[in-house]
């Protein structure tokens, strides 16, 4: 049975979880679908990111089980629930960003969805010259093209500019990032991908 969403965050300013922090006591690393016991110091919501919990320092995470993709169905967002709207599109993306005002109007920033299909595409950013990996899918009647930040799948798919892969009924973990104060926008990101 699923409870409320939890986003572990660290005590560092950028709140990112380090590789060491997501390494179990036996030396193995956190993997997708692991069931994990984590010690937290406090609930630390920030605007729309109400799911944030501050991890305890120097306490190893403990793997207590492994879920299967079939067990995720109960956590999927209802198919008629939009992903943070009204949204706008960036130069490369599609419905992949909202204004700071829109973001702060929500009290959630994480969702698990299962679109009928999703395309994972590699493209070269004309400004940075670096490859980006994007996921295109339709949700709640709206087409999306959102940047993939899942590090394992980014490494897997970051091959050559123009490469494309299609998946049927994948699970996508979508996150609404912090508001970028300089531009007053918050990006939607594909933080996890299960094919």
């Amino acid at each position: 049975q699923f409870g409320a969403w939890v986003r572990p965050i660290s005590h560092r300013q950028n709140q990112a979880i380090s590789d060491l922090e997501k390494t179990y006591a036996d030396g193995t690393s956190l993997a997708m679908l692991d069931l994990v016991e984590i010690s937290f110091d406090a609930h630390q919501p920030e605007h729309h990111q109400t799911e944030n919990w501050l991890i305890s320092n120097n306490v190893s995470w403990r793997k207590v089980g492994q879920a299967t993709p079939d067990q995720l169905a109960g956590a999927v967002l209802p198919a008629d629930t939009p992903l943070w709207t009204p949204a706008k599109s960036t130069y490369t993306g599609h419905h992949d960003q909202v204004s700071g005002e829109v973001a702060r109007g929500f009290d959630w920033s994480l969702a698990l969805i299962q679109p009928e299909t999703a395309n994972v595409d590699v493209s070269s950013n004309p400004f940075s010259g670096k490859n980006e990996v994007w996921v295109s899918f339709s949700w709640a009647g709206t087409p999306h093209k959102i940047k993939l930040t899942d590090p394992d799948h980014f490494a897997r798919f970051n091959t050559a500019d123009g490469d494309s892969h299609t998946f049927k009924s994948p699970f996508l973990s979508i996150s609404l990032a912090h508001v970028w104060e300089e531009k007053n926008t918050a990006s939607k990101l594909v933080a996890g991908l299960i094919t």
Side-chain angles (χ1 to χ4, degrees):
Q1 162 175 339
F2 293 94
W5 275 97
V6 172
R7 176 191 287 109
I9 61 172
S10 72
H11 287 261
R12 287 180 292 280
Q13 185 174 359
N14 68 2
Q15 300 181 336
I17 300 296
S18 70
D19 288 340
L20 181 61
E21 286 165 334
K22 57 185 179 182
T23 299
Y24 301 129
D26 66 2
T28 59
S29 296
L30 177 75
M32 198 73 73
L33 296 177
D34 282 358
L35 302 177
V36 186
E37 186 177 274
I38 303 173
S39 176
F40 294 106
D41 287 341
H43 184 209
Q44 194 165 304
E46 186 176 351
H47 303 299
H48 57 286
Q49 291 194 342
T50 57
E51 308 90 348
N52 293 359
W53 282 80
L54 194 62
I55 66 169
S56 301
N57 283 332
N58 304 314
V59 179
S60 295
W61 296 8
R62 189 169 73 91
K63 182 176 177 178
V64 296
Q66 183 79 30
T68 65
D70 290 343
Q71 293 172 318
L72 297 180
V76 171
L77 190 71
D80 59 351
T81 303
L83 294 173
W84 307 287
T85 56
K88 51 189 177 179
S89 300
T90 59
Y91 178 83
T92 308
H94 199 64
H95 292 121
D96 59 329
Q97 197 175 77
V98 298
S99 70
E101 291 77 16
V102 168
R104 293 185 187 100
F106 286 95
D107 62 359
W108 58 287
S109 66
L110 292 169
L112 183 70
I113 66 171
Q114 189 178 23
E116 291 182 7
T117 61
N119 290 330
V120 178
D121 302 303
V122 182
S123 61
S124 178
N125 184 311
F127 304 107
S128 69
K130 296 180 179 179
N131 280 352
E132 294 176 338
V133 181
W134 294 82
V135 183
S136 300
F137 59 91
S138 181
W139 189 255
T142 301
H144 292 78
K145 184 179 179 184
I146 298 178
K147 192 178 289 187
L148 175 72
T149 59
D150 172 348
D152 292 335
H153 282 89
F154 182 88
R156 174 184 172 190
F157 293 115
N158 183 19
T159 50
D161 183 20
D163 284 357
S164 183
H165 310 269
T166 301
F167 298 99
K168 286 190 174 184
S169 301
F171 290 97
L172 306 177
S173 175
I174 312 294
S175 174
L176 185 61
H178 283 285
V179 174
W180 184 10
E181 297 297 342
E182 183 180 327
K183 293 194 173 182
N184 193 35
T185 58
S187 296
K188 303 176 191 179
L189 304 169
V190 178
L193 169 63
I194 300 171
T195 58

